[in-house]
Amino acid sequence: DTAVSQTPKYLVTQMGNDKSIKCEQNLGHDTMYWYKQDSKKFLKIMFSYNNKELIINETVPNRFSPKSPDKAHLNLHINSLELGDSAVYFCASSQTGTLNFGPGTRLTVT
Amino acid sequence: AQTVTQSQPEMSVQEAETVTLSCTYDTSESDYYLFWYKQPPSRQMILVIRQEAYKQQNATENRFSVNFQKAAKSFSLKISDSQLGDAAMYFCAYRPPPQGGSEKLVFGKGTKLTVNP
């Protein structure tokens, strides 16, 4: 009964490919997020959704497109992957201000 | 813009000893939230402790406690009786008051804590 789950946990792909990361939360939270953790461990918000509505889009290239089919799911699709996209991507959910993180997806672009 | 600064990239402590990790932040808000998250090698982000700015009392969770100095905008984490399992990256984070989902958690750059047996 994992609270926030992500698939896959590891993703290795070549430049130019398109890939998706899926996220699901069973906490009943209204707000979900995508965070990116770079090679220096710095965490930065990419997107937030509140009840399926996009709220924050934080200067992220158009190649990144989040989609929230319902408030329990927030997926991240990335087009035309670049070397610089290699990072750990965390999904998170929140109801009272505290973020519950998923296990992260380590994306490696070769 | 709010910023969070962790001035200690790395710290080490002997098992069973006490260590304090520093964090300062910058904000013009009077109501906000502060957090410490732990990231062990498994990379899972784990909430350690949370503090609401309107509460004067420092938050505690078992061996973890904070020293919240609102005027100084300081939020340090004290780990007592350090255990090997405490070894991890520790991130300080700031969050403004709820704004319908538009509030974002701003993280410091982290402090890597090593616990020596």
Side-chain angles (χ1 to χ4, degrees), chain B residues 43-70:
Chain B
R43 83 165 178 253
Q44 177 70 54
M45 293 289 290
I46 302 165
L47 177 68
V48 175
I49 204 162
R50 161 182 163 142
Q51 174 83 43
E52 288 90 346
Y54 68 86
K55 291 185 177 178
Q56 293 190 343
Q57 189 171 5
N58 289 324
T60 62
E61 284 290 338
N62 300 315
R63 299 181 294 106
F64 298 86
S65 62
V66 297
N67 183 1
F68 173 46
Q69 302 287 328
K70 191 172 183 179

Side-chain angles (χ1 to χ4, degrees), chain B residues 13-14 16-20 78-82:
Chain B
V13 63
Q14 290 296 125
E17 298 290 304
T18 295
V19 64
T20 298
K78 185 170 88 170
I79 306 174
S80 303
D81 185 25
S82 296

Side-chain angles (χ1 to χ4, degrees), chain A residues 16-59:
Chain A
N17 284 349
D18 303 338
K19 290 293 179 185
S20 292
I21 307 171
K22 295 187 175 181
C23 177
E24 177 180 1
Q25 54 100 359
N26 62 7
L27 297 167
H29 290 170
D30 286 335
T31 309
M32 295 185 72
Y33 305 81
W34 279 109
Y35 274 81
K36 179 180 179 180
Q37 186 174 42
D38 63 23
S39 59
K40 295 184 179 178
K41 302 286 190 181
F42 187 59
L43 277 150
K44 190 172 178 196
I45 191 169
M46 299 174 69
F47 303 101
S48 82
Y49 269 74
N50 191 316
N51 234 332
K52 302 193 298 175
E53 181 185 351
L54 178 65
I55 302 296
I56 296 175
N57 183 342
E58 191 77 2
T59 320

Side-chain angles (χ1 to χ4, degrees), chain B residues 7-61:
Chain B
S7 58
Q8 307 149 319
E10 295 188 26
M11 292 280 286
S12 64
V13 63
Q14 290 296 125
E15 202 175 356
E17 298 290 304
T18 295
V19 64
T20 298
L21 307 184
S22 300
C23 173
T24 58
Y25 57 94
D26 186 27
T27 184
S28 58
E29 302 280 351
S30 59
D31 187 22
Y32 48 86
Y33 304 84
L34 295 164
F35 305 85
W36 279 97
Y37 279 88
K38 166 186 176 181
Q39 187 179 38
S42 67
R43 83 165 178 253
Q44 177 70 54
M45 293 289 290
I46 302 165
L47 177 68
V48 175
I49 204 162
R50 161 182 163 142
Q51 174 83 43
E52 288 90 346
Y54 68 86
K55 291 185 177 178
Q56 293 190 343
Q57 189 171 5
N58 289 324
T60 62
E61 284 290 338

